[in-house]
Amino acid sequence: MIFTRRGFVRSLSRTALVLALEDVLKLAIPAQQPVPAASQIGSRPTYDAKPKAAPKQASPVTGTPLGFSFVDVAKQSGLTAKTIYGGEHKNRYLLETTGCGVAFYDFDHDDWLDLFLVNGTRLDADSLPKGPAPISRLFKNNRDGTFTDITAKSGMTRSGWGQGCCVGDYDNDGLNDLFVSYYGQNILYKNHGDGTFTDVTVKAGLAQSKTRWNSGCAFLDYDKDGHLDLFVANYIDFDIKTAPLPEAAGCAYKGMQVACGPPGLDGGKNILYRNNGDGTFTDVSQKSGMWDTIGTYGLSVTVADLNNDGWPDIYVANDSTASTYYENQKDGTFKDMAIESAIAYSPDGKPQAGMGVAVGDFNRDGLLDIVKTNFAGDTDSLYQSLGDGTFEDHTYLSGLGINTRYLGWGVGFVDVDNDGWLDIFISNGHVYPEVDGSHLDAPYAEHKYLYRNLRTGQFEEVTSQAGPGINDAVPARGCAFGDYDNDGDMDAVVNCVNAPPQLLRCDSTIKRNWIKLRLVGTKSNRTGIGARITVTAATATQEMSGVGEQPLRQVDEVRSGGSYYSQNDLRMHFGLDQATKVDTIEIAWPSGQKDTLRDLTANKLYVIEEGGKILKTIAMGAPPADAKSPGVPR
């Protein structure tokens, strides 16, 4: 038998051995990198190491121009409202550090992405801006490159410690609704489709009897009954009256006094709400297995069928402890299989301070992989799926191991150059404002990372070439991805801490094709969340000769939530390189319905109803006939 770390760890789960994984791995496997110290409250696992990445394999991409650039157009687009979150120069409590998410959210279903920016507050009321308390903001897309703030009309007047957001049609009325998590009381906004919303939190059964630090969220149909359920991660059980202060607890980061936590604090309990099918939810957290996990301190969450059994699973990025992988048992319960699946720890079995998480098939083998952002001093993580619910850590093999300096938050697998291969986009920003002006070389505001897919299982960092929007330093937290200007390339929006947001427009000079799909469920939930899509297109060479390279075959799923506290465009985008049409689109719906569509022309959006009917086709890439103005110059 060939020994592997994954096989060894899986074998432990089938024995009666009661050993700490950390101690077992010390005995069985040589350490690959320095071990972090975590001996006091407030110290997160960090590595301060920069191991060499694997040598790059021969790639047709290496050394070629990017052909695109990201530009921050937030100011001229009308996104000038500053997100308020904690103290600007010093934080005394962990609550002041996590920041907020953001959503590309087409609330009026006109297939132009609107924006929702979660907002926070401050502990010191005297330091708040003059005027009304900070509130989250809804911006309508004017379809000319600009946005209008319609928050006042929308009825979204809630203030407080906003955290994450996620989108889904919980009542199957054809309008996608919005859920926002808070430290305190969450809120569910019912969408009326006209820019107005109603708070239905209490009516829907989502009121909480105690103060919780709710964090990442996602709608999912875990029991496949056609109604969207709701998962809400929880960070710590935090009470300002009893929370430790840095000076009293001796909390420090590299010699600096900083806010304490989370190690040493009580972790929160994740929540699963089952949709009753009548507009209400029931808390099934405990009986479904949400509390039977090794890891805690949940931050971001993503949902995907990670073991390819046709049922949605849940993966949670936890801070300073093992990640959680809730494997769906198909009977209304979940089991944490993170250790057995080798996606709980770092390559040498150490806990990491996970922040954001995304899912995608980066190597185009038809299996969904995971990328996770981590704390400063550590690498981000890339887990390659083996197809049976287990994974291998490819952080160093892929080239992501070259960076350990910055602290990652929002993250996405996104095809930024439309070549049919998923790239990786990461937003960064330090958690402690105190690092500015200190002896440390890691600033509070940080630039992003952009990794180009080399099509060999490896990535090339191209941050310096990717434009000012990538290289400008900001204190980033949540970020979301979508084509807000409908020009065929993917843009990004970033929510920052105590700063205005970034709207990063992708300006491309390369002519590559693409296709977008928006799903409408009938037997399945109306949003189509959980549907798996397989897109197959011939390459340009094959189109001309009928022979040549392997076809472009891509797999993805419609999902709610993800990144860090954020919501991406629910329209599925697939880059096609030079292919001018898609040969087949296969859709496996949560209901079990399977649809196949053939010979769809590229560079269009197709709205597809369960059963295979195309409800609408929109040619994109040109300004709409009813646009209000020429818009932002390109």
Side-chain angles (χ1 to χ4, degrees):
M1 180 174 113
I2 299 175
F3 176 84
T4 65
R5 174 183 178 274
R6 186 185 70 260
F8 176 71
V9 173
R10 285 177 66 84
S11 72
L12 292 180
S13 68
R14 296 189 291 268
T15 73
L17 292 176
V18 184
L19 292 171
L21 175 70
E22 179 176 319
D23 296 331
V24 171
L25 291 178
K26 282 180 183 177
L27 296 172
I29 305 166
Q32 298 176 1
Q33 54 188 15
V35 175
S39 58
Q40 61 178 15
I41 293 176
S43 62
R44 286 181 170 90
T46 60
Y47 292 96
D48 292 320
K50 198 168 185 177
K52 294 181 179 179
K56 286 188 174 64
Q57 301 177 33
S59 165
V61 177
T62 305
T64 61
L66 293 187
F68 63 86
S69 177
F70 282 95
V71 181
D72 184 4
V73 295
K75 185 175 181 180
Q76 55 263 51
S77 297
L79 305 180
T80 58
K82 182 177 178 179
T83 296
I84 304 299
Y85 204 92
E88 298 222 25
H89 306 293
K90 182 177 177 61
N91 292 329
R92 305 192 74 197
Y93 295 99
L94 187 63
L95 179 60
E96 301 178 81
T97 66
T98 54
C100 306
V102 59
F104 270 130
Y105 173 34
D106 180 16
F107 69 84
D108 52 3
H109 287 254
D110 65 352
D111 284 302
W112 287 82
L113 293 179
D114 310 299
L115 276 171
F116 180 78
L117 286 153
V118 183
N119 210 338
T121 187
R122 290 184 179 142
L123 293 172
D124 180 7
D126 293 336
S127 68
L128 287 170
K130 297 187 183 303
I135 58 174
S136 301
R137 295 192 174 273
L138 181 66
F139 293 88
K140 177 170 174 52
N141 193 327
N142 297 324
R143 300 188 282 177
D144 62 0
T146 68
F147 293 80
T148 297
D149 187 339
I150 63 168
T151 308
K153 171 191 173 185
S154 71
M156 296 179 172
T157 57
R158 172 78 175 276
S159 60
W161 292 100
Q163 301 291 300
C165 56
C166 53
V167 172
D169 185 359
Y170 83 95
D171 54 359
N172 283 334
D173 67 351
L175 297 169
N176 285 328
D177 308 295
L178 177 70
F179 179 84
V180 187
S181 63
Y182 278 81
Y183 167 69
Q185 177 59 59
N186 299 322
I187 192 164
L188 175 62
Y189 288 113
K190 178 176 170 57
N191 182 10
H192 300 297
D194 59 357
T196 65
F197 296 79
T198 299
D199 176 357
V200 295
T201 310
V202 174
K203 181 180 178 181
L206 297 176
Q208 296 174 331
S209 59
K210 69 173 187 176
T211 297
R212 290 180 176 269
W213 190 336
N214 305 282
S215 50
C217 62
F219 285 101
L220 73 159
D221 185 5
Y222 76 86
D223 51 4
K224 302 208 295 185
D225 64 353
H227 302 283
L228 287 177
D229 313 299
L230 177 64
F231 176 85
V232 187
N234 268 240
Y235 192 30
I236 63 173
D237 285 339
F238 180 84
D239 186 341
I240 195 73
K241 297 176 183 177
T242 59
L245 288 168
E247 56 269 28
C251 300
Y253 173 73
K254 297 191 175 182
M256 290 187 306
Q257 194 175 83
V258 296
C260 297
L265 302 177
D266 292 333
K269 298 289 189 182
N270 297 331
I271 306 172
L272 182 65
Y273 295 103
R274 183 181 184 277
N275 192 323
N276 298 322
D278 59 0
T280 67
F281 293 83
T282 298
D283 186 340
V284 295
S285 307
Q286 189 167 9
K287 72 176 184 179
S288 66
M290 292 296 110
W291 298 353
D292 301 327
T293 67
I294 294 175
T296 185
Y297 309 136
L299 285 174
S300 298
V301 54
T302 191
V303 176
D305 179 8
L306 294 174
N307 60 356
N308 296 296
D309 65 354
W311 292 73
D313 309 299
I314 304 169
Y315 184 79
V316 185
N318 293 327
D319 189 356
S320 305
T321 184
S323 298
T324 299
Y325 167 35
Y326 291 108
E327 185 180 73
N328 195 325
Q329 302 300 296
K330 312 175 192 177
D331 59 0
T333 68
F334 292 80
K335 184 178 180 181
D336 182 8
M337 299 292 289
I339 291 178
E340 294 88 340
S341 298
I343 48 178
Y345 296 105
S346 70
D348 66 344
K350 293 296 177 181
Q352 296 175 288
M355 303 292 167
V357 61
V359 168
D361 179 13
F362 80 88
N363 57 349
R364 286 217 333 237
D365 62 356
L367 306 172
L368 296 177
D369 312 300
I370 300 171
V371 61
K372 177 169 67 77
T373 56
N374 296 311
F375 200 78
D378 192 0
T379 69
D380 297 310
S381 300
L382 181 64
Y383 300 110
Q384 180 178 314
S385 173
L386 300 179
D388 59 355
T390 66
F391 294 76
E392 285 186 342
D393 192 308
H394 272 239
T395 303
Y396 301 122
L397 292 173
S398 69
L400 263 65
I402 62 172
N403 286 315
T404 61
R405 182 184 176 204
Y406 285 172
L407 196 162
W409 298 91
V411 57
F413 279 117
V414 55
D415 185 359
V416 294
D417 52 5
N418 279 334
D419 67 349
W421 294 84
L422 294 178
D423 311 294
I424 295 176
F425 182 114
I426 295 174
S427 63
N428 298 306
H430 212 285
V431 71
Y432 304 125
E434 292 88 348
V435 298
D436 279 346
S438 73
H439 63 283
L440 301 179
D441 66 349
Y444 187 59
E446 299 175 341
H447 65 66
K448 293 157 192 62
Y449 292 144
L450 185 64
Y451 297 95
R452 175 166 64 170
N453 195 322
L454 295 178
R455 313 179 192 177
T456 60
Q458 295 181 317
F459 291 84
E460 171 188 22
E461 193 200 340
V462 294
T463 302
S464 62
Q465 309 166 48
I470 298 295
N471 285 277
D472 290 346
V474 296
R477 293 297 187 267
C479 73
F481 305 94
D483 183 5
Y484 82 91
D485 51 2
N486 281 347
D487 66 350
D489 48 39
M490 294 292 280
D491 313 298
V493 60
V494 182
N495 206 347
C496 302
V497 176
N498 292 314
Q502 287 185 304
L503 180 62
L504 304 182
R505 188 184 67 202
C506 182
D507 292 344
S508 178
T509 59
I510 46 179
K511 301 301 180 184
R512 288 180 177 149
N513 299 317
W514 48 269
I515 195 168
K516 292 185 193 294
L517 309 173
R518 177 162 66 82
L519 303 190
V520 178
T522 54
K523 292 181 291 184
S524 303
N525 67 87
R526 289 291 294 271
T527 314
I529 288 170
R532 177 170 288 203
I533 303 170
T534 303
V535 171
T536 305
T539 63
T541 302
Q542 288 176 314
E543 286 184 351
M544 294 177 63
S545 65
V547 297
E549 308 167 36
Q550 292 294 317
L552 286 168
R553 184 175 183 272
Q554 302 172 66
V555 173
D556 207 348
E557 293 179 356
V558 183
R559 63 181 59 90
S560 171
S563 184
Y564 176 77
Y565 282 10
S566 296
Q567 174 69 59
N568 298 325
D569 184 0
L570 284 165
R571 304 176 304 179
M572 305 303 293
H573 178 99
F574 298 91
L576 299 177
D577 202 356
Q578 300 304 315
T580 58
K581 68 180 178 69
V582 169
D583 295 319
T584 60
I585 293 175
E586 301 167 79
I587 305 173
W589 297 84
S591 67
Q593 169 77 29
K594 296 184 184 299
D595 295 330
T596 301
L597 297 90
R598 303 184 188 279
D599 298 326
L600 299 186
T601 304
N603 302 329
K604 294 182 179 180
L605 165 68
Y606 296 88
V607 181
I608 302 172
E609 185 178 67
E610 187 172 6
K613 181 180 179 181
I614 297 177
L615 299 178
K616 183 165 56 173
T617 302
I618 303 175
M620 304 172 81
D626 59 343
K628 295 181 180 178
S629 71
V632 180
R634 297 188 68 84

